[in-house]
Coordinates of all heavy atoms in Angstrom, one line a residue:
M1 N 0.8 -1.1 0.0 CA 0.0 0.0 0.0 C 0.9 1.2 0.0 O 1.8 1.3 0.8 CB -0.9 0.0 1.2 CG -1.9 -1.2 1.3 SD -2.8 -1.3 2.8 CE -4.0 0.0 2.7
S2 N 0.6 2.1 -0.9 CA 1.5 3.3 -0.9 C 0.9 4.4 -1.7 O -0.1 4.2 -2.5 CB 2.8 3.0 -1.5 OG 2.7 2.7 -2.9
K3 N 1.4 5.6 -1.5 CA 1.0 6.8 -2.3 C 1.3 6.6 -3.7 O 0.6 7.0 -4.6 CB 1.8 8.0 -1.7 CG 1.6 9.3 -2.5 CD 2.4 10.4 -1.9 CE 3.8 10.4 -2.4 NZ 4.5 11.6 -2.0
E4 N 2.4 5.9 -4.0 CA 2.8 5.7 -5.4 C 1.8 4.8 -6.1 O 1.6 5.0 -7.3 CB 4.2 5.1 -5.5 CG 5.4 6.0 -5.1 CD 5.5 6.3 -3.6 OE1 5.0 5.4 -2.8 OE2 6.1 7.3 -3.2
N5 N 1.3 3.8 -5.4 CA 0.2 3.0 -6.0 C -1.0 3.8 -6.4 O -1.6 3.6 -7.4 CB -0.1 1.8 -5.1 CG 0.9 0.7 -5.1 OD1 1.7 0.6 -5.9 ND2 0.8 -0.2 -4.1
A6 N -1.4 4.7 -5.5 CA -2.6 5.5 -5.7 C -2.3 6.4 -6.9 O -3.2 6.5 -7.8 CB -2.8 6.4 -4.5
L7 N -1.1 7.0 -7.0 CA -0.8 7.8 -8.2 C -0.8 7.0 -9.5 O -1.2 7.4 -10.5 CB 0.6 8.5 -8.0 CG 0.6 9.6 -7.0 CD1 2.1 10.1 -6.7 CD2 -0.2 10.8 -7.5
S8 N -0.2 5.8 -9.4 CA -0.1 5.0 -10.6 C -1.5 4.6 -11.1 O -1.8 4.6 -12.3 CB 0.7 3.7 -10.3 OG 2.0 4.0 -10.1
F9 N -2.4 4.3 -10.1 CA -3.7 3.9 -10.5 C -4.5 5.1 -11.2 O -5.1 5.0 -12.2 CB -4.5 3.5 -9.3 CG -6.0 3.3 -9.5 CD1 -6.5 2.3 -10.3 CD2 -6.9 4.2 -8.9 CE1 -7.8 2.2 -10.6 CE2 -8.3 4.1 -9.2 CZ -8.7 3.1 -10.0
L10 N -4.3 6.3 -10.6 CA -5.0 7.5 -11.1 C -4.4 7.9 -12.5 O -5.1 8.4 -13.4 CB -4.9 8.6 -10.1 CG -5.7 8.4 -8.8 CD1 -5.4 9.5 -7.9 CD2 -7.1 8.2 -9.1
Q11 N -3.1 7.7 -12.7 CA -2.5 7.9 -14.0 C -3.0 6.9 -15.0 O -3.3 7.3 -16.2 CB -1.0 7.8 -13.9 CG -0.4 9.0 -13.2 CD 1.1 8.9 -12.9 OE1 1.6 7.8 -12.9 NE2 1.7 10.0 -12.6
Q12 N -3.2 5.7 -14.6 CA -3.8 4.7 -15.5 C -5.2 5.1 -15.9 O -5.7 5.0 -17.0 CB -3.8 3.3 -14.9 CG -4.5 2.3 -15.8 CD -4.6 0.9 -15.3 OE1 -4.0 0.6 -14.2 NE2 -5.3 0.0 -15.9
A13 N -6.0 5.6 -14.9 CA -7.4 6.0 -15.1 C -7.4 7.2 -16.0 O -8.3 7.3 -16.8 CB -8.1 6.3 -13.7
A14 N -6.4 8.1 -15.9 CA -6.4 9.3 -16.8 C -6.2 8.8 -18.2 O -6.7 9.5 -19.2 CB -5.3 10.2 -16.3
Q15 N -5.5 7.7 -18.5 CA -5.2 7.3 -19.9 C -6.2 6.3 -20.4 O -6.3 6.2 -21.6 CB -3.8 6.7 -19.9 CG -2.8 7.7 -19.5 CD -1.4 7.0 -19.4 OE1 -1.3 5.8 -19.5 NE2 -0.4 7.8 -19.1
D16 N -7.1 5.7 -19.6 CA -8.0 4.7 -20.0 C -9.4 5.3 -19.9 O -9.9 5.5 -18.7 CB -7.9 3.5 -19.1 CG -8.8 2.3 -19.5 OD1 -9.9 2.6 -20.2 OD2 -8.7 1.2 -19.0
P17 N -10.1 5.6 -21.0 CA -11.4 6.3 -20.9 C -12.5 5.5 -20.1 O -13.3 6.1 -19.4 CB -11.8 6.4 -22.4 CG -10.6 6.3 -23.1 CD -9.6 5.4 -22.4
D18 N -12.4 4.2 -20.2 CA -13.4 3.3 -19.5 C -13.2 3.4 -18.0 O -14.1 3.6 -17.2 CB -13.4 1.9 -20.0 CG -14.4 1.0 -19.3 OD1 -15.6 1.4 -19.2 OD2 -14.0 -0.1 -18.8
L19 N -11.9 3.3 -17.6 CA -11.6 3.4 -16.2 C -11.8 4.8 -15.6 O -12.3 4.9 -14.5 CB -10.1 2.9 -15.9 CG -9.6 2.9 -14.5 CD1 -10.5 2.0 -13.6 CD2 -8.1 2.4 -14.5
K20 N -11.5 5.7 -16.4 CA -11.7 7.2 -16.0 C -13.2 7.4 -15.7 O -13.5 8.0 -14.7 CB -11.3 8.1 -17.2 CG -11.4 9.6 -16.8 CD -10.9 10.4 -18.0 CE -10.9 11.9 -17.7 NZ -10.4 12.6 -18.8
S21 N -14.1 6.9 -16.6 CA -15.5 7.1 -16.3 C -16.0 6.4 -15.1 O -16.9 6.9 -14.3 CB -16.3 6.7 -17.6 OG -16.2 5.3 -17.8
Q22 N -15.4 5.2 -14.8 CA -15.7 4.5 -13.6 C -15.3 5.3 -12.4 O -16.0 5.3 -11.4 CB -15.0 3.1 -13.6 CG -15.6 2.1 -14.5 CD -14.8 0.8 -14.5 OE1 -14.1 0.5 -13.6 NE2 -15.0 0.0 -15.6
V23 N -14.1 5.8 -12.4 CA -13.6 6.6 -11.3 C -14.5 7.9 -11.1 O -14.8 8.2 -9.9 CB -12.1 7.0 -11.5 CG1 -11.7 8.0 -10.4 CG2 -11.2 5.8 -11.5
Q24 N -14.8 8.5 -12.1 CA -15.6 9.8 -12.0 C -17.1 9.5 -11.5 O -17.7 10.4 -10.9 CB -15.7 10.4 -13.4 CG -14.4 11.1 -13.8 CD -14.4 11.7 -15.1 OE1 -14.9 11.1 -16.1 NE2 -13.8 12.9 -15.2
A25 N -17.5 8.2 -11.7 CA -18.8 7.9 -11.2 C -18.9 7.5 -9.7 O -20.0 7.3 -9.2 CB -19.4 6.8 -12.1
I26 N -17.7 7.3 -9.1 CA -17.7 6.9 -7.7 C -18.1 7.9 -6.8 O -17.8 9.1 -6.9 CB -16.2 6.4 -7.4 CG1 -15.9 5.1 -8.1 CG2 -16.0 6.3 -5.9 CD1 -14.5 4.7 -8.0
D27 N -18.9 7.6 -5.8 CA -19.5 8.5 -4.8 C -18.8 8.2 -3.4 O -19.1 9.0 -2.4 CB -20.9 8.3 -4.6 CG -21.7 8.8 -5.9 OD1 -21.2 9.7 -6.5 OD2 -22.8 8.2 -6.1
D28 N -18.0 7.2 -3.2 CA -17.5 6.8 -1.9 C -16.0 6.5 -2.0 O -15.6 5.8 -2.9 CB -18.3 5.6 -1.4 CG -17.9 5.2 0.0 OD1 -18.0 6.0 0.9 OD2 -17.4 4.1 0.1
Q29 N -15.3 6.9 -1.0 CA -13.8 6.6 -1.0 C -13.5 5.1 -1.1 O -12.6 4.7 -1.7 CB -13.2 7.2 0.2 CG -13.2 8.7 0.3 CD -12.6 9.3 1.5 OE1 -12.1 8.6 2.3 NE2 -12.7 10.6 1.7
R30 N -14.4 4.3 -0.4 CA -14.1 2.9 -0.3 C -14.3 2.3 -1.7 O -13.6 1.4 -2.1 CB -15.1 2.2 0.7 CG -14.8 0.8 1.0 CD -13.6 0.7 1.9 NE -12.7 -0.3 1.4 CZ -11.4 -0.4 1.7 NH1 -10.8 0.5 2.3 NH2 -10.7 -1.3 1.1
E31 N -15.2 2.8 -2.5 CA -15.4 2.4 -3.8 C -14.1 2.5 -4.7 O -13.8 1.7 -5.5 CB -16.6 3.1 -4.5 CG -18.0 2.7 -4.0 CD -19.0 3.5 -4.7 OE1 -19.1 3.4 -6.0 OE2 -19.8 4.1 -4.0
L32 N -13.5 3.7 -4.5 CA -12.3 4.0 -5.2 C -11.2 3.0 -4.9 O -10.5 2.4 -5.7 CB -11.8 5.4 -5.0 CG -10.5 5.8 -5.7 CD1 -10.8 5.9 -7.2 CD2 -9.9 7.0 -5.1
I33 N -11.1 2.7 -3.6 CA -10.1 1.7 -3.1 C -10.4 0.3 -3.7 O -9.4 -0.4 -4.1 CB -10.0 1.7 -1.5 CG1 -9.8 3.1 -0.9 CG2 -9.1 0.6 -1.0 CD1 -8.6 3.8 -1.4
N34 N -11.6 -0.1 -3.7 CA -12.0 -1.4 -4.2 C -11.7 -1.5 -5.7 O -11.2 -2.5 -6.2 CB -13.5 -1.6 -3.9 CG -13.8 -1.9 -2.4 OD1 -12.9 -2.2 -1.6 ND2 -15.0 -1.7 -2.0
L35 N -12.0 -0.4 -6.4 CA -11.7 -0.4 -7.8 C -10.2 -0.5 -8.1 O -9.8 -1.2 -9.0 CB -12.3 0.9 -8.5 CG -12.1 1.0 -10.0 CD1 -12.7 -0.1 -10.8 CD2 -12.7 2.3 -10.5
G36 N -9.5 0.3 -7.3 CA -8.0 0.2 -7.4 C -7.5 -1.2 -7.2 O -6.7 -1.8 -7.9
E37 N -8.0 -1.9 -6.2 CA -7.6 -3.3 -5.8 C -8.0 -4.2 -7.0 O -7.3 -5.1 -7.3 CB -8.3 -3.7 -4.5 CG -7.7 -3.1 -3.3 CD -8.4 -3.4 -2.0 OE1 -9.5 -4.1 -2.1 OE2 -7.9 -3.0 -0.9
A38 N -9.2 -4.0 -7.6 CA -9.6 -4.8 -8.7 C -8.7 -4.7 -9.9 O -8.5 -5.7 -10.7 CB -11.0 -4.5 -9.1
K39 N -8.0 -3.5 -10.0 CA -7.1 -3.3 -11.1 C -5.6 -3.6 -10.7 O -4.7 -3.4 -11.5 CB -7.2 -1.8 -11.6 CG -8.5 -1.5 -12.1 CD -8.8 -2.2 -13.4 CE -10.2 -1.8 -13.9 NZ -10.5 -2.5 -15.2
G40 N -5.4 -4.2 -9.5 CA -4.1 -4.6 -9.1 C -3.3 -3.6 -8.3 O -2.1 -3.7 -8.1
Y41 N -4.0 -2.5 -7.8 CA -3.3 -1.5 -7.0 C -3.8 -1.6 -5.6 O -5.0 -1.6 -5.4 CB -3.6 -0.1 -7.6 CG -3.0 0.1 -9.0 CD1 -3.8 -0.2 -10.1 CD2 -1.8 0.5 -9.2 CE1 -3.3 0.1 -11.4 CE2 -1.3 0.8 -10.5 CZ -2.0 0.5 -11.6 OH -1.6 0.7 -12.8
D42 N -2.8 -1.5 -4.7 CA -3.1 -1.6 -3.3 C -2.8 -0.3 -2.6 O -1.6 0.0 -2.5 CB -2.3 -2.8 -2.7 CG -2.8 -3.2 -1.3 OD1 -3.9 -2.8 -0.9 OD2 -2.0 -3.8 -0.5
F43 N -3.8 0.4 -2.2 CA -3.6 1.7 -1.5 C -4.8 2.0 -0.6 O -5.8 1.3 -0.7 CB -3.4 2.9 -2.5 CG -4.5 3.0 -3.5 CD1 -5.5 3.8 -3.3 CD2 -4.4 2.3 -4.7 CE1 -6.6 4.0 -4.2 CE2 -5.4 2.5 -5.7 CZ -6.5 3.3 -5.4
S44 N -4.6 3.0 0.3 CA -5.7 3.3 1.2 C -6.2 4.7 1.0 O -5.5 5.5 0.3 CB -5.2 3.2 2.7 OG -4.2 4.2 2.9
P45 N -7.3 5.1 1.6 CA -7.7 6.5 1.5 C -6.6 7.5 2.0 O -6.4 8.6 1.4 CB -8.9 6.6 2.4 CG -9.5 5.2 2.4 CD -8.3 4.3 2.3
D46 N -5.9 7.1 3.0 CA -4.8 8.0 3.5 C -3.7 8.2 2.4 O -3.1 9.2 2.3 CB -4.1 7.4 4.7 CG -5.0 7.6 6.0 OD1 -5.9 8.5 6.0 OD2 -4.9 6.8 6.9
H47 N -3.4 7.1 1.6 CA -2.4 7.2 0.6 C -2.9 8.2 -0.5 O -2.1 9.0 -1.1 CB -2.1 5.8 0.0 CG -1.4 5.0 1.0 ND1 -1.8 3.7 1.3 CD2 -0.3 5.2 1.7 CE1 -1.0 3.2 2.1 NE2 -0.1 4.1 2.4
V48 N -4.2 8.2 -0.8 CA -4.8 9.1 -1.8 C -4.6 10.5 -1.2 O -4.2 11.4 -2.0 CB -6.2 8.8 -2.1 CG1 -6.8 9.8 -3.1 CG2 -6.4 7.4 -2.8
R49 N -4.9 10.7 0.0 CA -4.8 12.0 0.6 C -3.4 12.5 0.5 O -3.1 13.7 0.3 CB -5.3 12.1 2.1 CG -6.8 12.0 2.2 CD -7.2 12.2 3.6 NE -8.6 11.7 3.8 CZ -9.0 10.5 4.1 NH1 -8.1 9.5 4.3 NH2 -10.3 10.2 4.1
Q50 N -2.4 11.6 0.8 CA -0.9 12.0 0.7 C -0.6 12.3 -0.8 O 0.3 13.1 -0.9 CB -0.1 10.8 1.1 CG -0.2 10.5 2.6 CD 0.5 9.2 3.0 OE1 1.1 8.5 2.2 NE2 0.4 8.9 4.3
A51 N -1.3 11.7 -1.7 CA -1.0 12.0 -3.1 C -1.7 13.2 -3.6 O -1.4 13.7 -4.7 CB -1.4 10.8 -3.9
L52 N -2.6 13.8 -2.9 CA -3.4 15.0 -3.4 C -2.5 16.1 -3.8 O -2.8 16.7 -4.9 CB -4.4 15.4 -2.3 CG -5.6 14.6 -2.2 CD1 -6.5 15.1 -1.1 CD2 -6.4 14.5 -3.4
P53 N -1.4 16.5 -3.1 CA -0.6 17.6 -3.6 C 0.0 17.3 -5.0 O 0.1 18.2 -5.9 CB 0.5 17.7 -2.5 CG -0.1 17.2 -1.3 CD -1.0 16.1 -1.7
V54 N 0.4 16.1 -5.2 CA 1.0 15.7 -6.5 C -0.1 15.7 -7.6 O 0.0 16.2 -8.7 CB 1.6 14.3 -6.4 CG1 2.1 13.8 -7.8 CG2 2.8 14.3 -5.4
I55 N -1.3 15.2 -7.2 CA -2.5 15.2 -8.1 C -2.8 16.6 -8.5 O -3.1 16.9 -9.7 CB -3.7 14.5 -7.5 CG1 -3.3 13.0 -7.3 CG2 -4.9 14.7 -8.3 CD1 -4.4 12.3 -6.5
K56 N -2.8 17.5 -7.5 CA -3.2 19.0 -7.8 C -2.2 19.6 -8.8 O -2.5 20.3 -9.7 CB -3.2 19.8 -6.6 CG -4.4 19.5 -5.7 CD -4.4 20.3 -4.4 CE -5.5 19.9 -3.5 NZ -5.5 20.6 -2.2
E57 N -0.9 19.2 -8.7 CA 0.2 19.7 -9.6 C 0.0 19.2 -11.0 O 0.4 19.8 -12.0 CB 1.5 19.3 -9.1 CG 2.0 20.1 -7.8 CD 3.3 19.6 -7.3 OE1 3.9 18.8 -8.0 OE2 3.6 20.0 -6.2
Q58 N -0.6 18.0 -11.2 CA -0.8 17.3 -12.5 C -2.1 17.6 -13.1 O -2.6 16.8 -13.9 CB -0.5 15.9 -12.3 CG 0.9 15.5 -11.9 CD 1.1 14.0 -11.8 OE1 0.2 13.2 -12.1 NE2 2.3 13.6 -11.5
K59 N -2.8 18.7 -12.8 CA -4.1 19.0 -13.3 C -4.1 18.8 -14.8 O -5.1 18.3 -15.4 CB -4.6 20.3 -12.9 CG -5.4 20.3 -11.6 CD -6.1 21.6 -11.4 CE -7.0 21.4 -10.2 NZ -7.8 22.6 -9.9
G60 N -3.1 19.3 -15.5 CA -3.1 19.3 -17.0 C -3.1 17.8 -17.5 O -3.7 17.5 -18.4
F61 N -2.3 17.0 -16.8 CA -2.2 15.6 -17.2 C -3.4 14.8 -16.9 O -4.0 14.1 -17.7 CB -1.0 14.9 -16.6 CG -0.9 13.5 -16.8 CD1 -0.5 13.0 -18.1 CD2 -1.1 12.5 -15.9 CE1 -0.5 11.7 -18.4 CE2 -1.0 11.2 -16.1 CZ -0.7 10.7 -17.4
L62 N -4.0 14.9 -15.6 CA -5.1 14.1 -15.2 C -6.4 14.7 -15.6 O -7.4 14.1 -15.5 CB -5.0 13.9 -13.7 CG -3.8 13.1 -13.2 CD1 -3.8 13.0 -11.7 CD2 -3.8 11.7 -13.8
G63 N -6.4 16.0 -16.0 CA -7.6 16.6 -16.5 C -8.8 16.7 -15.5 O -8.6 16.9 -14.3
D64 N -9.9 16.4 -16.0 CA -11.1 16.4 -15.2 C -11.2 15.3 -14.2 O -12.1 15.3 -13.3 CB -12.4 16.5 -16.0 CG -12.5 15.4 -17.1 OD1 -11.5 14.7 -17.3 OD2 -13.6 15.2 -17.7
L65 N -10.4 14.3 -14.3 CA -10.3 13.2 -13.3 C -9.9 13.8 -12.0 O -10.4 13.4 -10.9 CB -9.3 12.2 -13.7 CG -9.2 10.9 -12.9 CD1 -10.5 10.2 -12.8 CD2 -8.1 10.0 -13.4
V66 N -9.0 14.8 -12.0 CA -8.6 15.5 -10.7 C -9.8 16.0 -9.9 O -9.9 15.9 -8.7 CB -7.6 16.6 -11.0 CG1 -7.3 17.4 -9.8 CG2 -6.3 16.0 -11.6
E67 N -10.7 16.7 -10.6 CA -11.9 17.2 -10.0 C -12.7 16.2 -9.2 O -13.1 16.4 -8.2 CB -12.7 18.0 -11.0 CG -12.0 19.1 -11.7 CD -11.5 20.2 -10.7 OE1 -12.1 20.5 -9.7 OE2 -10.4 20.7 -11.0
A68 N -12.8 15.0 -9.9 CA -13.6 13.9 -9.2 C -12.9 13.5 -8.0 O -13.5 13.2 -6.9 CB -13.8 12.8 -10.2
I69 N -11.6 13.3 -8.0 CA -10.8 12.8 -6.9 C -10.8 13.8 -5.8 O -11.0 13.5 -4.6 CB -9.4 12.4 -7.3 CG1 -9.4 11.3 -8.3 CG2 -8.5 12.0 -6.1 CD1 -10.1 10.1 -7.9
L70 N -10.6 15.1 -6.1 CA -10.6 16.2 -5.1 C -11.9 16.3 -4.4 O -12.0 16.5 -3.3 CB -10.1 17.5 -5.7 CG -8.7 17.6 -6.2 CD1 -8.4 18.9 -6.8 CD2 -7.7 17.3 -5.1
E71 N -13.0 16.1 -5.2 CA -14.4 16.1 -4.6 C -14.6 15.0 -3.7 O -15.1 15.1 -2.6 CB -15.4 16.1 -5.8 CG -16.8 15.9 -5.3 CD -17.4 17.1 -4.4 OE1 -16.9 18.2 -4.6 OE2 -18.2 16.8 -3.6
L72 N -14.1 13.8 -4.1 CA -14.2 12.6 -3.2 C -13.5 12.7 -2.0 O -13.9 12.2 -0.9 CB -13.8 11.4 -4.1 CG -14.1 10.0 -3.5 CD1 -15.6 9.9 -3.3 CD2 -13.6 8.9 -4.4
F73 N -12.3 13.3 -2.0 CA -11.4 13.3 -0.8 C -11.3 14.7 -0.2 O -10.5 15.0 0.6 CB -10.0 12.8 -1.2 CG -10.0 11.3 -1.3 CD1 -10.3 10.7 -2.5 CD2 -9.7 10.5 -0.2 CE1 -10.3 9.3 -2.7 CE2 -9.7 9.1 -0.3 CZ -10.0 8.6 -1.5
G74 N -12.1 15.6 -0.7 CA -12.1 17.0 -0.2 C -12.8 17.1 1.2 O -13.5 16.2 1.6
P75 N -12.5 18.2 1.9 CA -13.1 18.4 3.2 C -14.6 18.4 3.3 O -15.2 18.2 4.3 CB -12.5 19.7 3.7 CG -12.1 20.4 2.5 CD -11.8 19.4 1.4
T76 N -15.2 18.8 2.2 CA -16.7 18.8 2.2 C -17.4 17.5 1.9 O -18.6 17.3 2.0 CB -17.2 19.8 1.1 OG1 -16.8 19.4 -0.1 CG2 -16.8 21.2 1.5
H77 N -16.6 16.4 1.6 CA -17.1 15.1 1.3 C -16.8 14.3 2.5 O -15.8 13.6 2.6 CB -16.5 14.6 0.1 CG -17.2 13.3 -0.4 ND1 -18.3 13.4 -1.3 CD2 -17.0 12.0 -0.2 CE1 -18.7 12.2 -1.5 NE2 -18.0 11.4 -0.9
D78 N -17.7 14.3 3.5 CA -17.6 13.5 4.7 C -18.9 12.9 5.1 O -19.9 13.1 4.4 CB -17.0 14.3 5.8 CG -17.8 15.6 6.1 OD1 -19.0 15.5 5.9 OD2 -17.2 16.6 6.6
D79 N -18.9 12.2 6.1 CA -20.1 11.5 6.6 C -20.9 12.3 7.6 O -21.9 11.8 8.2 CB -19.8 10.1 7.2 CG -19.2 9.2 6.1 OD1 -19.5 9.4 5.0 OD2 -18.3 8.4 6.5
Y80 N -20.6 13.5 7.8 CA -21.3 14.3 8.8 C -22.5 15.1 8.2 O -22.3 15.5 7.1 CB -20.3 15.3 9.5 CG -19.2 14.7 10.2 CD1 -17.9 14.7 9.7 CD2 -19.4 14.0 11.4 CE1 -16.9 14.1 10.3 CE2 -18.4 13.4 12.1 CZ -17.1 13.4 11.5 OH -16.1 12.8 12.2
P81 N -23.6 15.1 8.9 CA -24.7 15.9 8.3 C -24.5 17.4 8.3 O -23.8 17.9 9.1 CB -25.9 15.5 9.3 CG -25.2 15.2 10.6 CD -23.9 14.6 10.2
A82 N -25.0 18.0 7.3 CA -24.9 19.5 7.2 C -26.0 20.1 8.0 O -27.1 20.3 7.6 CB -25.0 19.9 5.7
T83 N -25.7 20.4 9.3 CA -26.7 20.9 10.2 C -26.9 22.4 10.2 O -28.0 22.9 10.4 CB -26.4 20.4 11.7 OG1 -25.1 20.9 12.0 CG2 -26.5 19.0 11.8
G84 N -25.8 23.1 9.9 CA -25.9 24.6 9.9 C -26.1 25.1 11.3 O -25.8 24.5 12.3
V85 N -26.6 26.4 11.3 CA -26.8 27.1 12.6 C -28.1 26.6 13.2 O -29.2 26.5 12.5 CB -26.8 28.6 12.3 CG1 -27.1 29.3 13.6 CG2 -25.5 29.0 11.7
Q86 N -28.1 26.3 14.4 CA -29.3 25.8 15.1 C -30.1 27.0 15.6 O -29.5 28.0 16.0 CB -28.9 24.9 16.3 CG -28.1 23.6 15.8 CD -29.0 22.7 14.9 OE1 -30.1 22.5 15.2 NE2 -28.4 22.3 13.8
P87 N -31.4 26.9 15.5 CA -32.2 28.0 16.0 C -32.2 28.1 17.6 O -31.9 27.2 18.3 CB -33.6 27.5 15.6 CG -33.6 26.1 15.4 CD -32.2 25.8 15.0
F88 N -32.4 29.3 18.0 CA -32.4 29.6 19.4 C -33.6 29.1 20.0 O -34.7 29.2 19.5 CB -32.3 31.1 19.6 CG -32.3 31.5 21.0 CD1 -31.2 31.4 21.9 CD2 -33.5 32.0 21.6 CE1 -31.3 31.7 23.2 CE2 -33.6 32.4 23.0 CZ -32.4 32.2 23.7
S89 N -33.5 28.4 21.1 CA -34.7 27.7 21.7 C -34.9 28.1 23.1 O -35.6 27.4 23.9 CB -34.6 26.2 21.6 OG -33.4 25.7 22.3
G90 N -34.3 29.2 23.6 CA -34.5 29.6 25.0 C -34.8 31.1 25.1 O -35.0 31.8 24.1
D91 N -35.0 31.5 26.3 CA -35.3 32.9 26.6 C -33.9 33.7 26.8 O -33.0 33.1 27.4 CB -36.1 33.1 27.8 CG -37.5 32.5 27.5 OD1 -38.0 32.6 26.4 OD2 -38.1 31.9 28.5
P92 N -33.8 34.9 26.4 CA -32.6 35.7 26.6 C -32.5 36.0 28.1 O -33.5 36.0 28.8 CB -32.8 37.0 25.8 CG -34.2 37.1 25.6 CD -34.8 35.7 25.6
P93 N -31.2 36.2 28.6 CA -31.1 36.5 30.0 C -31.9 37.7 30.4 O -31.9 38.7 29.6 CB -29.6 36.6 30.2 CG -28.9 36.2 28.9 CD -30.0 36.1 27.9
S94 N -32.4 37.8 31.6 CA -33.2 38.9 32.0 C -32.2 40.1 32.2 O -31.0 40.0 32.5 CB -33.9 38.7 33.3 OG -32.9 38.4 34.3
G95 N -32.8 41.3 31.9 CA -32.0 42.5 32.0 C -31.3 43.0 30.7 O -30.6 43.9 30.7
H96 N -31.5 42.3 29.6 CA -30.9 42.6 28.3 C -32.0 43.0 27.4 O -32.9 42.7 27.1 CB -30.1 41.5 27.8 CG -28.8 41.3 28.5 ND1 -28.3 40.1 28.8 CD2 -27.9 42.2 29.1 CE1 -27.2 40.2 29.4 NE2 -26.9 41.5 29.7

């Protein structure tokens, strides 16, 4: 498992239109890892995160595949609900 395996897999996906479309359709980090394993690459979500700086530098090479990976591993793609600001449910302190 390594950052290099993650990079190699994504480079292969950038060159193979069928694999690229599969990667772009993924909605979950685990799906990406499973697809990588099916293609013979052993890496973890942490390895993809470590590879993100290199991926960002290669935008020209990886093209729109980069956007899919950055979306999948970006800070807004997590399992936490988007709760926003909670409404006030009490009385203000007296004297104010």
Side-chain angles (χ1 to χ4, degrees):
M1 295 171 79
S2 72
K3 172 179 88 171
E4 289 76 21
N5 283 346
L7 285 171
S8 295
F9 171 69
L10 294 174
Q11 288 172 339
Q12 179 184 350
Q15 296 172 357
D16 179 346
D18 183 48
L19 183 56
K20 182 178 181 177
S21 65
Q22 290 176 18
V23 169
Q24 289 176 318
I26 290 175
D27 292 330
D28 181 64
Q29 294 177 6
R30 191 76 225 153
E31 289 179 53
L32 180 71
I33 305 308
N34 292 339
L35 180 59
E37 287 175 356
K39 298 295 181 179
Y41 294 94
D42 193 20
F43 56 90
S44 71
D46 287 334
H47 292 128
V48 176
R49 284 186 197 92
Q50 292 170 2
L52 285 178
V54 177
I55 292 170
K56 288 177 184 178
E57 290 174 9
Q58 296 183 357
K59 269 193 173 181
F61 174 71
L62 296 175
D64 52 347
L65 183 63
V66 169
E67 299 304 321
I69 298 303
L70 292 177
E71 169 67 26
L72 189 61
F73 285 87
T76 59
H77 193 86
D78 55 30
D79 295 329
Y80 298 106
T83 56
V85 177
Q86 298 299 313
F88 178 75
S89 62
D91 294 324
S94 60
H96 288 142

